[in-house]
Amino acid sequence: MNLAQKYIAGLKNAYYENGGQKQWDRFEKVLHGASPEDLENLRACYPDIPDSLIQLLEIVDGAYWRKYGEETVSLYFLGSDMEGYPYYLLSARQIVDTKDQFREWGDYLIHREFDDIPVDEGICDDFDNLYWLHFSDCMNNGGTSQLFMTFRPRRRGKRVKLCVFFTIRTN
């Protein structure tokens, strides 16, 4: 089993153990992986994309208001460090479509315009050198809560080589 398969199995168990069996079963009946064309477009935009994210998208092509046939799916897919605010997984096409959205609103973070917003020192501070992959939105429909991978961090940061998936269990 690769990392993505292990993650899906663990996520299914978490749904089952927390009263979400019906929701997971409904999702599992309709889900499918990204098309070869969508994965090819994704790799063209992000040649450094981790294999583990590609493997995950080969199993499930998004869970963020994603239409699978006649069924529209909205399923929490990633945990969060803030209890009660899990994340959806974007589809391969959504990742490509949102490639440049951060540039429309995120310059204040990169330029550190507000002292009260903590920005990790590993995050790029050169707006012209951003190379981020947006792969997930928070349950609040994204808002300012989005997850990105960076391929050009600052010296103190780390370039993404492996995508590790996580969930937070609540009992």
Side-chain angles (χ1 to χ4, degrees), residues 38-58:
D38 284 345
L39 290 174
E40 186 177 315
N41 289 337
L42 182 59
R43 282 188 180 111
C45 287
Y46 298 101
D48 297 322
I49 189 170
D51 289 339
S52 54
L53 182 54
I54 292 291
Q55 291 165 355
L56 185 63
L57 291 167
E58 287 174 335

